[in-house]
Amino acid sequence: MSNFKLIPSIAMLLFFSLILSSCSFSKKDNEAGKKPVDFTVVEEEDLPQELLTIITEKKEIGFKLTYSCNGYLYIVQGYGMQNTGGYSILVDNVYETENAVYFDTTLIGPEKEEKVTQAITYPYIVIKIENKEKSVVFLS
């Protein structure tokens, strides 16, 4: 009689093993589909005027946006108002999959001992890529 109770337990164990293994396969498939994207960090003086106006309007709070112009896609991430200078933004990753472009950045604050401007700043970064006609996913 105890053998009959063991069979449903084994069946459940096999079922959950199949579910877990299928999840890991799909994750590996997504990672295999990543392609790095060439990009350029765009300085403020090189931005289209309309995009600069939009950034100026949004700079006080954190924001994420995209802007298309002349065959390029501008990807922008702002980190909102900071109480001092000394901030920089690191582009951790820009890659594409079949369906989207992924953009990942990190805000780096000043060191504790670093002398910084004692003024409010609004750190943001703009990159420019060839327009891929895909949605953009912000990872940070």
Side-chain angles (χ1 to χ4, degrees):
M1 190 182 277
S2 63
N3 288 342
F4 291 112
K5 291 180 183 178
L6 186 58
I7 291 175
S9 298
I10 292 172
M12 290 297 279
L13 181 61
L14 288 172
F15 175 74
F16 285 118
S17 296
L18 286 172
I19 289 175
L20 291 175
S21 66
S22 67
C23 291
S24 64
F25 286 126
S26 64
K27 183 177 179 185
K28 288 179 184 175
D29 288 344
N30 288 342
E31 289 176 7
K34 289 182 182 180
K35 290 188 280 184
V37 174
D38 290 331
F39 66 91
T40 303
V41 175
V42 183
E43 299 297 324
E44 187 172 296
E45 60 269 10
D46 297 325
L47 292 174
Q49 186 57 48
E50 184 180 20
L51 177 56
L52 184 56
T53 301
I54 294 168
I55 291 169
T56 302
E57 291 170 356
K58 295 181 174 288
K59 71 181 183 181
E60 289 194 20
I61 57 171
F63 65 94
K64 300 169 183 179
L65 64 91
T66 61
Y67 178 85
S68 297
C69 181
N70 297 328
Y72 291 102
L73 179 66
Y74 294 82
I75 304 173
V76 187
Q77 181 156 11
Y79 282 88
M81 185 176 73
Q82 304 299 320
N83 291 326
T84 66
Y87 287 86
S88 61
I89 300 171
L90 175 66
V91 176
D92 296 315
N93 212 343
V94 181
Y95 65 90
E96 69 178 306
T97 63
E98 186 176 318
N99 300 318
V101 173
Y102 292 81
F103 182 58
D104 191 15
T105 63
T106 301
L107 178 66
I108 300 171
E111 299 287 327
K112 288 184 179 185
E113 304 296 321
E114 183 179 347
K115 291 182 182 179
V116 295
T117 305
Q118 295 301 310
I120 292 175
T121 59
Y122 307 93
Y124 68 89
I125 191 164
V126 180
I127 68 164
K128 179 171 81 170
I129 66 171
E130 181 182 311
N131 197 342
K132 308 275 186 183
E133 301 294 331
K134 294 179 181 182
S135 62
V136 174
V137 177
F138 291 86
L139 297 174
S140 54

